[in-house]
Amino acid sequence: MIHYNMTTPSPDDPGAPLGFAKHDHHACVTDALSVAEARCAEEGLRLTPVRRKVLEILLREHRALGAYAILDLLREEGFGSQPPVAYRALDFLSENGFVHRIERLNAFVACTHADEAHSPAFMICRLCDTVAEAQSAPARGALGAAAKAAGFQIEKTVVEAEGLCPACVDKAAS
Amino acid sequence: MIHYNMTTPSPDDPGAPLGFAKHDHHACVTDALSVAEARCAEEGLRLTPVRRKVLEILLREHRALGAYAILDLLREEGFGSQPPVAYRALDFLSENGFVHRIERLNAFVACTHADEAHSPAFMICRLCDTVAEAQSAPARGALGAAAKAAGFQIEKTVVEAEGLCPACVDKAAS
DNA sequence: CCAATAGATGATACACTATAACATGACAAC
DNA sequence: GTTGTCATGTTATAGTGTATCATCTATTGG
Ligand SMILES: [Zn+2]
Ligand SMILES: [Zn+2]
Ligand SMILES: [Zn+2]
Ligand SMILES: [Zn+2]
C-alpha cells in the first residue's frame, strides 16, 4: 500500500530529492537516459520505446513505484496497459541494472549508479516512501562468514534499511 | 512460486535441515515451542491455539512457507481457513520475533534464535527454497556510514542472500 | 526481394498475496 | 450482569505477478 500521488513533478523542480539531497533533477534524468542509451548501444541491448519510457518514468519520479502505478503512467502516454507490458520492461531494466526492485515495497526504483557494477543497499523512509540507494558489501561481514561456514554460495544479496529520512525525522521532532 | 511439497517430514527424521545442518528435529521443534510458551507467559503474550499451531507448522517444516500454504495446513487441522486467520497469527508471531518474514519469497520462517533480540540475515537457496538464519549487523558497515552521512535513521534492516545451499552446490557440481 | 528466424509487443485470462470490514465469541474488570 | 478488550470467523475485495497465445517487426540468409 504505497501511497504515491500520481502527479509528476515539473522536470526542472529543484526540490525533487535524489536520495535525500536536492539537485538538478532535469539534468539528472536526461543524463541517466543518455548513459543508458550509450550502454545499450555498446552492449547490443535494445532500449525499445516502452523500456525507455519506463526508465524515464522511474527517473522522473525518483522514488519507488509499483508496477501498476507505472502501468497507469504508460497508459497515459499511449502505450499498452496490460500488466505484462510493465513487467517485461521492468525485467529487462532490472536484469541489466538500470532499475532495482525494492522487495520490501514490491516496487521499483531507477538506479542512481547506472554505470558501474554494484551491489546496492537501500534506505526506505517508512513515512514518505522515499528511497535512497547506497553501496553495500554484505558478503564481507558477518553474513559472508556465516555463509562460508555453512557452505552457502552467495550469488546476490538484498539489503534494505527501513527508517526515517532526514525530512521526516525533522517533521517528527517538531 | 515457491514449490514446497506439502508432506510433513516425520517429526523425528534426523535428516531434516536446520539451517543446512542435520540435527534432532523433533527436539528442535518441541524445545522452540517451550521457549515460546515460556516467553509468552513472562511477557503476558497470548499464544493462542491458532498462533501456536502456526508456529508449530513453521517449526516442523523448517523452511519458508507462504501464508496460503500455512492456511492449507491449518485447514487440515480443523482451524479456520480464510486468509486473515493465517495473516493475523503471522502478524502476532513476527511482531514478537517468533517468526520472520522473507521479503524475497513473500513467505515466513520460524526463528532459530527465538530468545535473544537480534537482527537476522537469511541465506535462501534458489533451487530448494531452504532458508538458514544468520546474524547481521548491516548498520555497522558501509550502509551505516551512508545512513549517517545522509541523516537517515535506520529502524530495521532486511538482509537476504540468495544462492546455493551446500546440498544444491553438490548436486550442481555432479 | 523474399522467406525464415528471433525478439518484442498486445491482449486475455488466471494465479498468488494481502487487507478491509463486519459479525461473533471468550474472558476479565467493574 | 454489563462493559470493554482482545481474538476469531467470514465475506468480499484489493494488489501483485505469470502463463499463454497471437501478432508484429526487425534482422539475416538465400
Ligand atoms: Zn544501483
Ligand atoms: Zn521521509
Ligand atoms: Zn530470528
Ligand atoms: Zn538447496
Side-chain angles (χ1 to χ4, degrees):
Chain A
M1 204 127 341
I2 307 157
H3 42 288
Y4 10 66
N5 65 45
M6 231 55 252
T7 66
T8 300
S10 143
D12 45 13
D13 172 8
L18 170 151
F20 307 124
K22 297 187 189 308
H23 65 288
D24 179 346
H25 190 47
H26 181 60
C28 162
V29 171
T30 54
D31 289 359
L33 278 173
S34 303
V35 168
E37 269 165 4
R39 193 151 81 71
C40 285
E42 264 177 44
E43 303 182 17
L45 301 173
R46 300 174 52 180
L47 191 61
T48 60
V50 202
R51 294 168 175 178
R52 197 191 134 99
K53 179 56 75 180
V54 170
L55 179 55
E56 188 194 320
I57 287 171
L58 284 174
L59 286 166
R60 248 179 12 214
E61 296 282 335
H62 229 314
R63 64 208 160 106
L65 291 185
Y68 282 70
I70 291 168
L71 205 48
D72 288 341
L73 294 172
L74 280 179
R75 179 182 299 114
E76 286 175 14
E77 313 231 15
F79 291 86
S81 60
Q82 299 308 312
V85 174
Y87 282 103
R88 287 195 284 232
L90 289 166
D91 284 349
F92 169 86
L93 292 169
S94 59
E95 272 165 19
N96 293 289
F98 298 116
V99 315
H100 299 297
R101 178 181 169 85
I102 309 296
E103 300 290 344
R104 177 100 179 142
L105 302 177
N106 295 329
F108 302 83
V109 71
C111 177
T112 55
H113 306 91
D115 246 356
E116 331 96 57
H118 59 289
S119 151
F122 300 95
M123 294 176 274
I124 306 165
C125 179
R126 72 171 152 82
L127 291 183
C128 67
D129 285 325
T130 302
V131 173
E133 179 176 349
Q135 297 288 14
S136 75
R140 306 240 178 291
L143 179 56
K148 191 164 183 179
F152 183 89
Q153 265 183 18
I154 296 180
E155 292 173 349
K156 175 186 181 204
T157 57
V158 172
V159 179
E160 298 174 3
E162 184 174 339
L164 291 180
C165 74
C168 290
V169 169
D170 290 349
K171 263 180 272 169
S174 63
Chain B
M1 207 126 339
I2 307 155
H3 42 284
Y4 9 68
N5 66 44
M6 229 58 248
T7 66
T8 299
S10 145
D12 46 10
D13 172 8
L18 171 149
F20 306 124
K22 297 188 187 308
H23 64 288
D24 178 347
H25 189 47
H26 180 61
C28 162
V29 170
T30 54
D31 289 358
L33 278 172
S34 303
V35 169
E37 269 166 3
R39 193 152 79 71
C40 284
E42 264 177 43
E43 302 181 17
L45 301 172
R46 301 174 53 181
L47 191 61
T48 60
V50 201
R51 293 168 177 178
R52 198 190 134 99
K53 178 56 74 180
V54 170
L55 179 56
E56 188 194 320
I57 287 170
L58 285 173
L59 286 165
R60 251 182 5 217
E61 295 282 336
H62 230 310
R63 64 205 161 107
L65 290 185
Y68 282 70
I70 293 168
L71 206 47
D72 288 341
L73 295 172
L74 281 180
R75 178 181 300 112
E76 286 174 15
E77 314 231 16
F79 290 86
S81 61
Q82 298 309 312
V85 173
Y87 281 104
R88 286 195 285 234
L90 289 166
D91 283 349
F92 170 85
L93 292 170
S94 61
E95 272 165 20
N96 293 290
F98 298 114
V99 315
H100 299 296
R101 178 182 170 82
I102 309 294
E103 300 289 344
R104 178 104 179 137
L105 302 178
N106 294 329
F108 302 83
V109 70
C111 178
T112 54
H113 305 91
D115 244 357
E116 330 98 57
H118 59 290
S119 151
F122 300 96
M123 294 176 273
I124 307 165
C125 178
R126 72 173 152 83
L127 291 183
C128 68
D129 284 326
T130 303
V131 173
E133 179 175 350
Q135 297 288 11
S136 76
R140 306 241 179 288
L143 179 56
K148 191 162 183 181
F152 183 90
Q153 267 183 18
I154 296 178
E155 292 173 350
K156 174 185 181 202
T157 58
V158 172
V159 179
E160 298 174 2
E162 184 175 338
L164 293 181
C165 75
C168 289
V169 168
D170 291 349
K171 262 179 273 170
S174 63

